[in-house]
Each structure stands twice: as C-alpha cells, then as structure tokens.
Amino acid sequence: MTEYVKSALFICPASDVELIERVIRNSFATEISLVDINDFEQDPLVVLNGCDHVVVSGDLAVVKRVLKLSIEHGFSIGLIPQEGYLELASSYGIPGDPEQALELALQKGGQELDIVLCNNKILLYKATFGRLPMLDTSRGTGRMKMIWRARKQFSDLKLLKFTFVTNNGKEINTAACGGMLIQQHGGNLASRRIVADSSANDEMVAMIISAPLSIFAYLRFLLQVIFPNSYRKKLPDTIGLVKSKSIKIDSEIRLEVTIDSDIRTQTPIFCETLPQAVTMNTGDEFSARIKAGHAGKETLNISNLPTGKEELNK
C-alpha cells in the first residue's frame, strides 16, 4: 500500500495559482505549507520546523537551490514538472501528467541519489569545456545535417594540452580539443553511446575527452556517429573515457566551462561525487535502474588519446 508524507513544504512560483491550489488541496491527506525559496535559504531550520519533505516546482536553478539545501539538511524531495521544464522531471522518470506527478511527489520513501559538484556547483546533466565536435549532437539530428556541421567544426579545431587527475591519483597528460563531464543521460551522442552503463548512484562522474589528431581521424569518428550500429561495441576513435569518484581538470590555457548549459566557470576545475547525497521521489523505471546500480570502479579508457611528446607539442 502506498504511503504518503504527513506534511511537506511546497516551493513554487507565486504566479502559478492553479498548481498551488491543486497541491494544497491534495487528496493524500498531506498538509502543505507554501514557502518562498529566498526565505528558505535565509533560515532553513526555522522554515523546516521539523518537516522532512519538500516539494518543488520550478526551473533548473530553483531545483538546484533546493538540492543544495537538501544536502545540508537531509530532507527528501518531490518534483512536480513546470511547463517549459518537463525535461528536468522526465530525467527522473516523473510523469508529465500533473495529478500523477503530484501523487509521486507526496509519497514516502524516495531514492538515494549521488550529487556531482563541479567547482562546488551542482552538476545534474553535463559540463563541457573546449570544443566538442559532434559529441553533443542531439538524438534526432539528421545525417546530412551532421555532415554539414562536422565540416564547419573541424576547420577551427585545435588540440590543447590537458592534465587530468583521478580520485585514485592517476595523472593523465594528453592533448585534446575539449571534453564533457556527464551525470545524467540526455539525448546526445555521448550519453546514449559512450557512457550508457553509468548510473545516478554508482558514485562516479564520467568524462569524455575528444582528441581528433587529423582530418582522417575526424572523418572516421564521423562515420561512427552517422552509422553507430556498425561500431556499437567499440569506443569511437579519437575519444577517451574516464570514470572516477573525482576528476581534476587543468588546461594549458583557461577555458570556459558550461554547467548544465547555464552556469559558467573556468578551468582548472575539480569535480567530485557526493554518494547518496539526496533522497528524491523518482518514477518506477528510474527507480528500478537505481536499485540495480552499485558503486562503480574507476575506469581509464584512454588508448585513443595522444600521449607522446611529439603529439603533445603539435
């Protein structure tokens, strides 16, 4: 029998009157207290007042603010999709139907999830640095569009020297045009093909490194993108993969780092995993994957990356 929390705080834009009324008048006997995120951040313990569950409906920035407070104070979280931000909820298997989402958000017993910090900023999806030819291609991009985009991207690619240090102290000195740190799988090439075995509770952050040494290598990689079924069991050429509990990244010049397509910082960056840092109500399919997950092992698949002095000095 499904159990529901007896009380919950609710964070939502004041303008969404219909949703606020629906949540307050819920049919699950949960007492709701509407709170403002700014007041919550100013004095969390007073606002919580013994409550241990918070429901949030808002944009990515607001959700991250609530996640940060959850890390610090240990309350569980329920998400209700807000129009325009359905991808955020669907990432955790939360229904798009408002009533079903509300029921899930007020249930007891969420899933413990890892949180990744990148220069102390929460990373939910991906962080990118440098140039990433074709790695961020969306699932629905046509082949001709891929080819046209690839021609434009290769003309201004440049390999830079990078140093990566893993949680186990492994130092990797190589050259690359850029990279991507991934926590949540999205609809891009990298997440659906290269790190398909990652989980939101494997205590790992995955990093993809892109290093096309020549136009020939780049074209070969392009074929692997356009015809993925022919290369399903092989890591694409010119790509390296690192998975670790923490990764330190430094580059020969300062590079802008974009976190979840919004927050920006610069190299050097330090990314670390906080194991089982928050508890969130998630959909059945997502929860099943989480339960099947386990702490991962550090992975270094870097044979495709340049390591010799001549290649690093190009």
Side-chain angles (χ1 to χ4, degrees):
M1 182 177 177
T2 303
E3 293 186 84
Y4 301 93
V5 297
K6 293 182 179 180
S7 63
L9 304 183
F10 183 43
I11 296 172
C12 177
S15 58
D16 202 338
V17 177
E18 183 180 342
L19 177 59
I20 292 172
E21 291 182 352
R22 185 185 304 125
V23 174
I24 291 176
R25 297 176 182 176
N26 71 85
S27 58
F28 309 106
T30 301
E31 182 180 346
I32 301 295
S33 299
L34 184 66
V35 299
D36 180 84
I37 182 63
N38 295 315
D39 295 338
F40 193 15
E41 288 178 322
Q42 188 171 353
D43 204 338
L45 292 179
V46 169
V47 173
L48 283 168
N49 192 29
C51 183
D52 59 4
H53 190 71
V54 176
V55 177
V56 57
S57 180
D59 60 21
L60 187 61
V62 170
V63 171
K64 285 187 177 184
R65 292 164 72 180
V66 174
L67 286 170
K68 183 176 184 296
L69 289 166
S70 175
I71 294 170
E72 296 168 353
H73 300 284
F75 56 82
S76 55
I77 299 173
L79 284 179
I80 297 179
Q82 191 178 70
E83 188 175 351
Y85 297 95
L86 296 180
E87 181 183 359
L88 174 63
S90 65
S91 299
Y92 296 99
I94 296 171
D97 179 79
E99 290 301 324
Q100 293 179 11
L102 175 58
E103 180 182 3
L104 177 60
L106 295 179
Q107 289 179 10
K108 280 186 178 180
Q111 298 296 322
E112 293 182 330
L113 305 177
D114 299 342
I115 290 292
V116 172
L117 298 181
C118 187
N119 280 4
N120 292 318
K121 302 178 188 299
I122 292 178
L123 165 67
L124 289 185
Y125 296 107
K126 65 182 180 182
T128 58
F129 55 90
R131 298 295 306 277
L132 295 170
M134 306 304 296
L135 281 181
D136 210 14
T137 301
S138 64
R139 190 186 301 269
T141 304
R143 290 176 178 176
M144 291 305 297
K145 191 172 182 179
M146 283 187 188
I147 294 172
W148 176 253
R149 184 180 298 172
R151 288 182 58 192
K152 293 177 63 178
Q153 289 184 342
F154 184 78
S155 61
D156 55 357
L157 284 181
K158 180 182 179 182
L159 295 188
L160 302 171
K161 294 179 184 177
F162 282 90
T163 298
F164 307 108
V165 182
T166 70
N167 186 70
N168 289 346
K170 174 65 176 179
E171 182 173 308
I172 304 164
N173 293 294
T174 188
C177 59
M180 180 188 300
L181 294 139
I182 295 177
Q183 168 64 354
Q184 278 277 6
H185 292 177
N188 58 62
L189 165 71
S191 61
R192 72 177 183 261
R193 291 196 52 220
I194 301 173
V195 288
D197 61 339
S198 292
S199 168
N201 69 341
D202 62 2
E203 301 182 15
M204 294 281 145
V205 57
M207 177 177 64
I208 298 166
I209 308 161
S210 176
L213 292 174
S214 65
I215 190 169
F216 175 78
Y218 184 61
L219 290 174
R220 181 173 173 82
F221 167 66
L222 183 59
L223 289 174
Q224 292 174 299
V225 173
I226 297 175
F227 303 101
N229 291 336
S230 301
Y231 299 88
R232 281 181 297 183
K233 297 181 180 180
K234 182 181 178 183
L235 188 70
D237 293 341
T238 79
I239 298 297
L241 172 63
V242 175
K243 292 176 67 176
S244 180
K245 291 185 177 181
S246 69
I247 304 174
K248 183 178 180 181
I249 302 166
D250 204 355
S251 53
E252 64 174 298
I253 61 173
R254 285 204 167 197
L255 296 174
E256 185 177 82
V257 181
T258 302
I259 302 173
D260 294 330
S261 302
D262 183 20
I263 302 173
R264 286 172 170 76
T265 182
Q266 287 186 323
T267 55
I269 54 177
F270 178 69
C271 292
E272 61 179 327
T273 305
L274 305 181
Q276 301 177 351
V278 298
T279 300
M280 183 184 297
N281 292 2
T282 59
D284 291 340
E285 185 177 341
F286 184 92
S287 298
R289 294 201 306 268
I290 291 299
K291 290 177 181 178
H294 58 277
K297 294 182 179 179
E298 186 165 289
T299 299
L300 301 176
N301 195 336
I302 55 176
S303 59
N304 290 336
L305 301 180
T307 56
K309 290 183 179 180
E310 290 184 4
E311 291 174 311
L312 294 180
N313 290 325
K314 283 183 179 180

